Amino acid sequence: MSEKYRTEASNGDGGAGISSVTGGLSVAVASPLNPDRDPAASNPEQLLALAWATCLNATARVFVDRERRSAVRVEVELHDAAEGPGYEFHVDAYLSVERADNAETERVLAQAHARCPVSKLLKDAATVRVHVEEYAVS
């Protein structure tokens, strides 16, 4: 397999400070559990939601004709870990396709989820689920 793209990100401050992509984006980050956090800062939950929503919908577009739109929304919740110390993410992705019935949307979701690189990273996690929903203009 040949490399198609490579990037690198770093964080030297932990849950409060800056996360950066080498030669690009810098994002202020703050733990959602910190009551004094900067409300304008992002967090891993938001970044995961953005990454998967973007990737899954870009992949779904391969399976939807150009005359229709698709949308993905991702919900990420932070929970106490079911086993062991710390926390875990519970993640739900919802795909909708304009003017599509449930069966077609399910087909697009199955194809996109099987092909999306972020989905491939998450697919074996017990706390990750995908769903279809009716398309709504936003």
Side-chain angles (χ1 to χ4, degrees):
M1 289 189 274
S2 63
E3 181 178 290
K4 301 294 184 195
Y5 176 77
R6 183 180 185 284
T7 191
E8 180 179 309
S10 61
N11 175 298
D13 301 312
I18 302 291
S19 289
S20 301
V21 174
T22 302
L25 179 69
S26 289
V27 178
V29 295
S31 170
L33 302 178
N34 180 349
D36 299 323
R37 73 182 175 280
D38 176 358
S42 190
N43 56 56
E45 295 79 4
Q46 293 169 338
L47 297 170
L48 174 58
L50 283 169
W52 198 18
T54 302
C55 188
L56 188 59
N57 197 35
T59 306
R61 297 298 313 144
V62 172
F63 304 106
V64 176
D65 60 67
R66 291 179 191 225
E67 290 76 39
R68 296 184 296 163
R69 295 179 293 185
S70 59
V72 171
R73 66 183 182 87
V74 174
E75 298 175 353
V76 178
E77 297 175 349
L78 183 64
H79 289 253
D80 291 321
E83 297 181 23
Y87 304 101
E88 64 188 23
F89 293 142
H90 290 219
V91 188
D92 290 270
Y94 298 83
L95 172 76
S96 61
V97 178
E98 186 177 39
R99 297 185 317 274
D101 62 18
N102 243 21
E104 182 182 2
T105 305
E106 286 278 0
R107 178 187 55 78
V108 171
L109 176 58
Q111 292 172 309
H113 188 48
R115 185 171 175 168
C116 167
V118 176
S119 289
K120 289 177 182 183
L121 282 172
L122 301 174
K123 71 179 178 179
D124 293 328
T127 59
V128 172
R129 297 179 305 217
V130 295
H131 316 269
V132 299
E133 65 184 4
E134 188 174 324
Y135 185 84
V137 178
S138 48

